[in-house]
């Protein structure tokens, strides 16, 4: 098929197909790319035709509510870890598995106070803690999801160490002379990383259900809660401490005083649930 033969009918048919295949954000990028491609053919290659993708309307999805966890709900989960039955059915044969571990409450708090994904948190090490000076500390971690998508290993993101997070780190052993290569969470673990991640998710779901709260929430809602509270303090600068920070920004991290001031502001002012 010749590009000159593409018309509005083809655009309509393509849109109907793509709308079923892609989410809204991806669909917008796809349509924009095609519009740009045909503009290139017309302006640079000088093909005499009208741009069939010149005008189109993307259906806007109704915004969904951000599913954050309240302070009372989070405390109910922690209480369930202490008081509730830890045995849960596992698999189709109805076998029971003990979902309790001594580190669970601190693990959930660490998720809440860092906004980390599972794969980021389980590999976080004491050596990842950095500082501008003695008063402004942060954890500098690999942005694993972005590294995987972009197939590169130099994407990082900073997590401001707030007073709440520092209290937790001290409880986890900040002053106990751990080696830099030791994991922050459960350094003496024996489980493989994937099994460890799965257990953290399943255990949270187990205790969440025990609370009786009528919401279908999981461990990932702690990340949503974190960034909701961060955004209250940092606004547009939230992207600097989120996994959506651009690598160009982070490459300048140690050189850009504006970024150091952002991290300092986050460390001083971010308080989850307060």
């Amino acid at each position: 098929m010749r590009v000159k033969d593409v018309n509005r009918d083809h655009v309509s048919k393509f849109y109907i197909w793509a709308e079923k295949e892609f989410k809204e954000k991806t669909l917008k990028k796809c349509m924009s790319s095609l519009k740009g491609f045909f503009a290139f053919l017309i302006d640079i290659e000088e093909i005499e035709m009208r741009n069939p993708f010149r005008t189109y309307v993307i259906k806007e999805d109704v915004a969904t509510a951000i599913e954050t966890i309240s302070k009372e709900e989070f405390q109910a989960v922690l209480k369930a870890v202490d008081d509730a039955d830890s045995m849960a059915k596992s698999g189709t044969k109805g076998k029971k598995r003990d979902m309790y571990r001594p580190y669970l409450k601190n693990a959930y708090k660490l998720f809440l106070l860092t906004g980390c994904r599972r794969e980021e948190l389980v590999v976080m090490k004491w050596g990842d803690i950095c500082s501008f000076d003695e008063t402004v500390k942060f954890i500098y971690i690999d942005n694993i999801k972005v590294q995987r998508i972009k197939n590169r290993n130099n994407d990082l993101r900073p997590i401001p160490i707030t007073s709440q997070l520092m209290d937790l780190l001290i409880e986890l052993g900040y002053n106990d002379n751990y080696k830099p290569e030791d994991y922050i969470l459960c350094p003496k673990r024996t489980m493989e990383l994937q099994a460890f991640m799965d257990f953290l998710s399943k255990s949270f779901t187990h205790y969440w259900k025990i609370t009786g709260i009528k919401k279908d929430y999981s461990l990932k809602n702690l990340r949503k809660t974190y960034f909701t509270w961060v955004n209250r303090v940092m606004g547009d600068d939230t992207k600097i401490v989120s996994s959506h920070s651009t690598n160009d920004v982070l490459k300048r991290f140690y050189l850009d005083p504006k970024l150091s001031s952002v991290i300092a502001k986050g460390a001083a002012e971010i308080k989850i649930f307060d």
Side-chain angles (χ1 to χ4, degrees):
M1 182 177 181
R2 293 165 57 87
V3 292
K4 290 183 66 173
D5 295 332
V6 178
N7 56 41
R8 300 292 292 173
D9 185 52
H10 295 119
V11 173
S12 176
K13 291 178 178 179
F14 173 80
Y15 181 91
I16 292 172
W17 169 82
E19 189 179 27
K20 297 176 182 177
E21 295 292 321
F22 306 123
K23 293 184 178 179
E24 181 185 341
K25 186 176 180 181
T26 304
L27 178 58
K28 286 181 178 179
K29 289 182 178 179
C30 188
M31 297 296 287
S32 177
S33 297
L34 286 167
K35 179 179 179 180
F37 172 67
F38 276 91
F40 166 80
L41 295 177
I42 295 167
D43 297 336
I44 305 302
E45 297 298 329
E46 299 182 348
I47 295 178
E48 295 182 2
M49 63 178 295
R50 292 174 63 84
N51 190 336
F53 286 87
R54 182 180 70 257
T55 304
Y56 55 84
V57 178
I58 300 290
K59 293 180 182 178
E60 297 288 343
D61 287 344
V62 177
T64 57
I66 298 177
E67 300 167 333
T68 61
I69 293 174
S70 70
K71 181 177 181 179
E72 292 73 22
E73 290 169 341
F74 185 68
Q75 289 177 335
V77 173
L78 299 184
K79 188 174 187 302
V81 174
D82 285 333
D83 302 337
D85 183 3
S86 63
M87 302 303 293
K89 289 184 178 180
S90 176
T92 57
K93 296 182 179 180
K95 292 183 178 180
K96 289 194 172 183
R97 180 184 184 187
D98 189 357
M99 304 306 292
Y100 175 78
R101 298 292 186 278
Y103 55 75
L104 283 181
K105 289 170 61 176
N106 282 337
Y108 302 156
K109 291 177 185 177
L110 198 57
F111 277 108
L112 179 68
L113 297 176
T114 62
C116 282
R117 299 182 178 89
R118 295 185 316 167
E119 59 189 1
E120 297 169 342
L121 189 135
V122 297
V123 297
M124 187 185 296
K125 299 179 179 180
W126 292 105
D128 295 330
I129 296 178
C130 308
S131 64
F132 294 116
D133 52 45
E134 287 302 314
T135 60
V136 181
K137 297 182 183 296
F138 58 99
I139 305 173
Y140 212 28
I141 66 169
D142 286 321
N143 195 342
I144 296 175
K145 181 178 179 180
V146 174
Q147 290 177 355
R148 183 171 60 247
I149 292 172
K150 296 184 177 180
N151 194 28
R152 62 191 188 194
N153 58 9
N154 60 343
D155 287 273
L156 305 170
R157 79 175 180 93
I159 302 171
I161 297 182
T162 64
S163 58
Q164 291 174 318
L165 181 52
M166 178 53 76
D167 288 344
L168 178 59
L169 290 174
I170 291 173
E171 187 174 348
L172 289 168
Y174 181 81
N175 296 322
D176 293 344
N177 297 316
Y178 274 108
K179 297 178 181 178
E181 63 271 19
D182 286 339
Y183 294 121
I184 291 177
L185 178 63
C186 194
K188 297 181 180 180
R189 71 184 69 159
T190 56
M191 277 192 278
E192 296 291 333
L193 287 180
Q194 187 61 53
F196 190 40
M197 289 191 290
D198 291 343
F199 180 77
L200 290 172
S201 294
K202 291 176 181 178
S203 66
F204 184 87
T205 298
H206 170 72
Y207 289 111
W208 177 265
K209 289 180 178 178
I210 285 177
T211 66
I213 300 170
K214 303 301 182 182
K215 295 177 181 177
D216 188 20
Y217 283 5
S218 63
L219 193 64
K220 65 182 180 182
N221 291 94
L222 294 179
R223 174 176 167 81
K224 295 180 181 181
T225 302
Y226 173 80
F227 282 111
T228 297
W229 284 88
V230 169
N231 190 62
R232 293 189 181 191
V233 173
M234 304 186 74
D236 290 342
D237 288 331
T238 299
K239 63 181 178 295
I240 295 174
V241 297
S242 76
S243 59
H244 304 97
S245 300
T246 64
N247 191 52
D248 288 339
V249 171
L250 293 180
K251 281 195 301 186
R252 302 195 309 272
F253 189 77
Y254 288 103
L255 304 177
D256 191 339
K258 292 181 181 179
L259 292 186
S260 65
S261 66
V262 168
I263 300 303
K265 175 181 173 67
E269 299 183 23
I270 293 171
K271 288 182 173 59
I272 312 300
F273 297 143
D274 287 348

